[in-house]
Amino acid sequence: AQSVTQLGSHVSVSEGALVLLRCNYSSSVPPYLFWYVQYPNQGLQLLLKYTSAATLVKGINGFEAEFKKSETSFHLTKPSAHMSDAAEYFCAVSGVTTDSWGKLQFGAGTQVVVTP
Amino acid sequence: EAGVTQFPSHSVIEKGQTVTLRCDPISGHDNLYWYRRVMGKEIKFLLHFVKESKQDESGMPNNRFLAERTGGTYSTLKVQPAELEDSGVYFCASSYSGGAYIQYFGAGTRLSVL
């Protein structure tokens, strides 16, 4: 069975400061990992994904995440927060076989507030 | 290219009534998924269609929920009769067979059962 834990349901960050959102997973084999973002009144948008290639993954809007197998982590970072980064962020995991990757399991989400 | 579209965006019904949610996936996507987020909880998987067939419906909460995908195109999710605990946001997602692990989500339908 797989599961995802996001530390911190709410994060407040100053504009220009580092954004760090934590995600830890539990899986018997290295899974596929994803970060999604939901802006107000919009659907979930894929930020980036890890699918067993490079461990450092770059996504859209300046975000990146690093897969660390030893720590079972997939933390999301952005060097400098912008006001437009205010949104809810979700970490998700899926299996890596054709019969298991259709079922995403999500963390509880982290609401990011950016202050001027 | 249009994204995943869900109707309605918001539905308010009374306990015991019936509600039908609709999802139009991205054109050409064989895989269609339904998820639900109850207030304060994680987004939870409900079921997965491949074309018109149910691949995995392990997340469906009970037999008050019925999902269909006629002709492998759009899908509907019917709740009959609705209960208070069914309130939440229902998301639909789709993916194509060549990259089935990348799911594209709609904006969701917010269901309020009073």
Side-chain angles (χ1 to χ4, degrees):
Chain A
Q2 299 163 325
S3 65
V4 174
T5 302
Q6 288 183 242
L7 294 177
S9 59
H10 287 80
V11 168
S12 181
V13 60
S14 299
E15 189 175 18
L18 171 72
V19 179
L20 170 60
L21 304 182
R22 300 179 187 275
C23 173
N24 288 87
Y25 68 91
S26 173
S27 177
S28 56
V29 297
Y32 287 170
L33 291 155
F34 308 83
W35 275 99
Y36 281 86
V37 61
Q38 185 179 23
Y39 299 104
N41 301 314
Q42 296 186 27
L44 296 166
Q45 180 180 0
L46 182 65
L47 269 179
L48 47 78
K49 63 185 184 296
Y50 168 77
T51 55
S52 72
T55 56
L56 182 61
V57 181
K58 295 187 183 298
I60 61 172
N61 301 337
F63 284 92
E64 64 181 35
E66 185 172 8
F67 172 73
K68 291 187 177 180
K69 183 179 178 181
S70 61
E71 298 177 8
T72 61
S73 68
F74 191 56
H75 301 332
L76 181 71
T77 60
K78 181 174 180 178
S80 177
H82 191 272
M83 297 298 291
S84 61
D85 294 326
E88 190 163 18
Y89 294 77
F90 298 91
C91 183
V93 63
S94 79
V96 302
T97 57
T98 54
D99 62 348
S100 65
W101 67 29
K103 187 175 180 177
L104 286 175
Q105 297 201 355
F106 285 87
T110 299
Q111 186 71 47
V112 172
V113 174
V114 182
T115 57
Chain B
E1 179 181 307
V4 177
T5 307
Q6 294 186 242
F7 304 97
S9 58
H10 194 183
S11 179
V12 181
I13 61 172
E14 293 189 354
K15 177 182 173 181
Q17 290 185 322
T18 297
V19 63
T20 300
L21 314 181
R22 172 169 169 149
C23 170
D24 287 73
I26 293 172
S27 178
H29 282 193
D30 288 338
N31 297 281
L32 187 148
Y33 315 83
W34 283 98
Y35 292 85
R36 177 175 75 169
R37 189 184 193 193
V38 173
M39 181 73 74
K41 303 286 188 179
E42 298 89 351
I43 299 170
K44 294 283 194 183
F45 169 85
L46 295 179
L47 86 160
H48 170 200
F49 282 101
V50 178
K51 297 185 180 179
E52 66 274 9
S53 300
K54 292 176 184 174
Q55 177 78 8
D56 181 353
E57 53 183 328
S58 60
M60 294 289 266
N62 52 60
N63 59 11
R64 295 186 294 103
F65 289 75
L66 175 64
E68 295 180 322
R69 190 179 183 194
T70 307
T73 55
Y74 71 91
S75 175
T76 58
L77 180 64
K78 180 189 289 188
V79 184
Q80 180 181 29
E83 298 290 343
L84 299 179
E85 64 264 25
D86 300 332
S87 296
V89 180
Y90 291 76
F91 292 102
C92 176
S94 70
S95 67
Y96 71 102
S97 298
Y101 54 89
I102 300 175
Q103 298 183 25
Y104 299 87
F105 282 77
T109 293
R110 181 174 296 278
L111 175 63
S112 300
V113 183
L114 307 178

